[in-house]
């Protein structure tokens, strides 16, 4: 490792938020870290082809802010200086959940609100400044390079990405040799849902990981607006969640430059339109009028942009009995969530922290230990997402007694939280990944739910589909 061991060079595949945070962690232990990215990376905050979701609403969960500021100290202050807004998880957010408007109070739990392009741009610039980190953008990864017996990954084969422009003045560190091979002591795949690691494992003679998939067919569309001054009061985010009777959702978020992003979403093939008039009409179909009012009052700053997300997807690498040394997986390539719950970036940050803990004390990367820690990091957000999606009868999946009880309990908690801010606080701490889902079952909270939300109804028999 850097300064004295054998582990001198690491390669990160993908310059997404997951890849950037991985590079930040690895720079503490490796003398050279190269981030390989297909896109030509902009030097200033900007949208890019490889991150189509950057046009849409993002908010860093409370736990995500904490971890990002730990991995890149001072990042929160830098984002605020660049125009991001801060706020309180309950005091500055309108939560409309399960058909109920949750009661509110300030709870001292910070959130950050900004465009994805600003966040990723500043993180990328911070990572560029780290010692030993270089970027090989405009570069495709064609496959892994492994030892003759396949037991160790020794690098990746690269080639210029199709249409990549020639670049001048890039740092030379970590460059591939004449054959396009970039050697490495460790390769970390952060290429997202399209990760080819399962295929590469088969080519090396390993079993791919078991996969859990839950089809949700989420579609959403986002349009930027300028709202009248003071239109949202002191609120930074308005959330109108979907319900089984109304599988449509929406959000309005305050971002830099005096802009607001309005995102509309539908589940199971219900697609928000990109026609401006129909976009406004769709906003008017939500359970609460807040977002429709914002659309009617706001000045559009662009056309609606659409995005689709097929399924929750989890690769269970932690269950494998064998795996090559010198290779790890992080981010959406490990576990990808329904984006409407806003957990993706925070999950990536938690996985990066798990990697940092695995490497602490100049330890060599241990795939078993890392995958176990990464799995523990995503267990809670995966439970929150999948349990929530299984409320909808059209979502296929096993509704265990625990799933059915949890969703019945949450329905009553949300009803009770209309008049009980302590229940609102407990709920948003879970959604912000500050507290574990099981914390909602504390006896004092359960008593409040039963008192204010009514008795739990009988749970139907387990079924699939």
């Amino acid at each position: 490792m850097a300064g004295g061991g054998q582990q001198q060079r690491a390669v990160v595949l993908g310059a997404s938020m997951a890849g950037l945070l991985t590079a930040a962690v690895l720079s503490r232990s490796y003398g050279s870290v190269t981030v390989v990215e297909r896109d030509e990376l902009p030097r200033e905050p900007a949208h890019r082809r490889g991150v189509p979701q950057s046009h849409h609403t993002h908010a860093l969960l409370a736990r995500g802010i904490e971890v990002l500021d730990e991995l890149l100290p001072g990042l929160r202050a830098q984002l605020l200086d660049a125009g991001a807004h801060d706020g309180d998880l309950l005091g500055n957010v309108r939560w409309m959940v399960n058909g109920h408007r949750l009661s509110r109070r300030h709870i001292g739990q910070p959130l950050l609100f900004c465009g994805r392009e600003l966040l990723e741009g500043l993180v990328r610039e911070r990572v560029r400044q780290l010692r030993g980190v270089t970027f090989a953008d405009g570069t495709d990864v064609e496959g892994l390079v492994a030892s003759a017996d396949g037991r160790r990954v020794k690098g990746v084969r690269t080639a210029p990405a199709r249409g990549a422009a020639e670049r001048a003045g890039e740092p030379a560190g970590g460059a591939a040799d004449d054959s396009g091979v970039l050697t490495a002591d460790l390769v970390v795949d952060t290429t997202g849902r399209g990760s080819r690691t399962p295929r590469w494992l088969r080519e090396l003679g390993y079993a791919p990981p078991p996969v859990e998939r839950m089809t949700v067919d989420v579609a959403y569309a986002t349009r930027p607006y300028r709202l009248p001054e003071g239109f949202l009061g002191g609120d930074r985010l308005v959330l109108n969640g979907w319900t089984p009777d109304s599988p449509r959702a929406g959000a309005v978020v305050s971002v830099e430059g005096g802009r607001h992003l309005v995102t509309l979403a539908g589940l199971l093939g219900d697609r928000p339109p990109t026609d401006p008039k129909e976009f406004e009409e769709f906003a008017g179909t939500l359970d609460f009028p807040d977002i429709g009012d914002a659309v009617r009052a706001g000045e559009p700053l662009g056309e609606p942009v659409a995005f689709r997300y097929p399924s929750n997807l989890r690769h269970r690498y932690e269950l494998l009995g064998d795996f090559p040394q010198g290779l790890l997986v992080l981010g959406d390539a490990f576990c990808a969530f329904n984006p409407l719950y806003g957990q993706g970036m925070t999950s990536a940050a938690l996985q990066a922290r798990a990697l940092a803990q695995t490497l602490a004390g100049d330890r060599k990367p241990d795939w078993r230990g890392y995958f176990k820690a990464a799995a523990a990091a995503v267990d809670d957000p995966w439970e929150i997402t999948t349990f929530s999606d299984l409320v909808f009868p059209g979502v296929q999946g096993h509704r265990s007694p625990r799933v059915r009880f949890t969703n019945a309990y949450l329905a009553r908690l949300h009803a009770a939280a209309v008049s009980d801010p302590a229940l609102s606080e407990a709920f948003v701490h879970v959604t912000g990944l500050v507290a574990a889902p099981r914390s909602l079952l504390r006896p004092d909270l359960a008593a409040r739910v039963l008192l204010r939300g009514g008795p739990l109804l009988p749970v139907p028999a387990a079924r699939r589909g």
Side-chain angles (χ1 to χ4, degrees):
M1 296 200 152
Q6 294 290 322
Q7 315 297 322
Q8 290 295 307
R9 173 178 289 175
V11 170
V12 178
L13 309 183
S16 62
M17 283 291 292
L20 295 171
L21 296 177
T22 299
V25 167
L26 295 178
S27 70
R28 303 174 181 180
S29 302
Y30 288 78
S32 169
V33 179
T34 302
V35 181
V36 182
E37 168 57 47
R38 177 181 299 173
D39 284 354
E40 294 274 359
L41 294 172
R43 284 290 184 170
E44 301 295 329
H47 299 292
R48 62 183 179 90
R49 182 179 180 183
V51 190
Q53 67 270 35
S54 69
H55 293 274
H56 304 279
T57 295
H58 287 77
L60 266 176
L61 300 183
R63 187 73 182 280
I65 298 170
E66 171 192 323
V67 177
L68 257 68
D69 223 34
E70 174 188 312
L71 299 177
L72 294 169
L75 178 65
R76 182 176 184 275
Q78 189 177 0
L79 285 164
L80 292 173
D81 287 344
H85 301 289
D86 59 0
D88 185 83
L89 181 62
L90 190 57
N92 299 113
V93 179
R94 296 184 202 174
W95 292 86
M96 291 164 277
V97 183
N98 229 339
H100 301 286
R101 192 183 293 268
L102 306 190
S103 57
R104 301 164 61 185
R105 66 185 181 194
H106 282 268
I107 60 175
Q109 196 69 59
L111 281 180
L112 269 181
F113 307 94
C114 63
R116 170 69 178 260
E117 70 276 22
L118 174 63
L119 174 61
E120 189 167 305
L122 289 182
V123 171
R124 185 169 57 244
E125 190 55 35
R126 284 288 304 272
V127 173
R128 279 189 188 278
Q129 296 169 7
L130 295 173
R131 181 176 58 85
V133 176
T134 57
F135 285 78
D137 56 338
T139 301
D140 268 332
V141 176
E142 297 187 326
L144 300 176
V145 176
S147 59
D149 61 3
R151 300 303 302 169
R152 172 170 289 278
V153 170
K154 302 174 69 175
V156 293
R157 297 190 308 276
T158 68
R162 183 176 299 178
E166 291 187 2
R167 302 178 306 283
E170 282 294 307
D177 62 24
D178 292 340
S179 67
V181 171
L182 187 59
T183 60
D185 298 292
L186 176 65
V187 174
V188 184
D189 178 5
T190 68
T191 54
R193 291 177 58 91
S195 163
R196 288 169 288 173
T197 291
R199 190 187 84 190
W200 292 337
L201 288 173
R202 291 189 191 96
E203 292 173 353
L204 291 174
Y206 294 87
V211 176
E212 294 182 20
R213 187 189 307 269
M214 180 179 290
T215 299
V216 289
D217 195 9
V218 171
Y220 50 102
T222 297
R223 193 178 196 190
Y225 287 85
R226 192 175 308 280
L227 297 183
E229 186 174 354
F231 185 81
L232 297 182
D235 293 337
R236 299 299 195 189
L237 177 64
V238 177
L239 288 171
N240 188 145
W242 41 35
T243 70
D245 295 329
S246 179
R248 291 182 171 184
V252 180
V253 63
S254 176
V255 298
E256 67 278 6
R259 300 175 298 130
H260 289 79
L261 299 180
V262 176
T263 294
L264 305 177
L267 190 74
L268 296 171
D270 185 11
R271 302 179 189 176
T274 55
D275 174 82
K277 185 175 186 301
E278 294 176 358
F279 184 89
E280 179 177 330
E281 291 171 351
F282 189 101
T285 68
L286 300 179
D287 284 343
F288 294 88
D290 305 53
I291 294 174
D293 291 346
V295 168
R296 287 187 292 272
E299 171 195 355
L301 301 177
E303 296 302 305
V305 177
F307 187 74
R308 291 185 65 190
Y309 189 88
S311 59
N312 301 310
L313 185 65
R314 184 171 182 179
H315 291 91
R316 304 302 298 256
Y317 284 98
E318 75 277 12
L319 300 180
L320 291 176
D322 200 10
F323 196 81
Q325 297 294 329
L327 176 66
L328 298 175
V329 182
L330 193 148
D332 280 1
F334 186 79
C335 188
F337 309 87
N338 184 334
L340 264 294
Y341 303 111
Q343 298 172 324
M345 291 190 295
T346 297
S347 169
L350 291 170
Q351 292 171 59
R353 175 194 262 178
L355 177 60
Q357 293 169 344
T358 302
L359 297 175
D362 240 19
R363 293 195 296 265
K364 293 182 179 180
D366 165 41
W367 63 267
R368 292 182 189 275
Y370 163 70
F371 285 140
K372 181 178 179 181
V378 304
D379 278 343
D380 282 349
W382 180 256
E383 176 179 313
I384 291 167
T385 296
T386 55
F387 280 30
S388 297
D389 286 339
L390 285 170
V391 166
F392 299 91
V395 173
Q396 299 295 307
H398 178 52
R399 291 164 172 82
S400 67
R402 181 165 172 257
V403 168
R404 290 180 283 113
F405 171 81
T406 298
N407 285 335
Y409 179 80
L410 284 175
R412 284 145 189 82
L413 185 148
H414 296 145
V418 171
S419 59
D420 190 337
L423 291 176
S424 297
E425 179 175 353
F427 172 72
V428 301
H429 273 148
V430 170
T431 62
L433 302 183
V434 176
R438 61 183 176 275
S439 66
L440 295 177
L441 295 173
R442 283 180 5 218
D444 60 316
L445 296 179
R448 289 172 177 267
V449 170
L450 292 173
L451 177 66
R452 298 176 181 270
L456 291 176
L457 298 178
V459 178
R463 64 185 179 93
R464 290 189 177 271

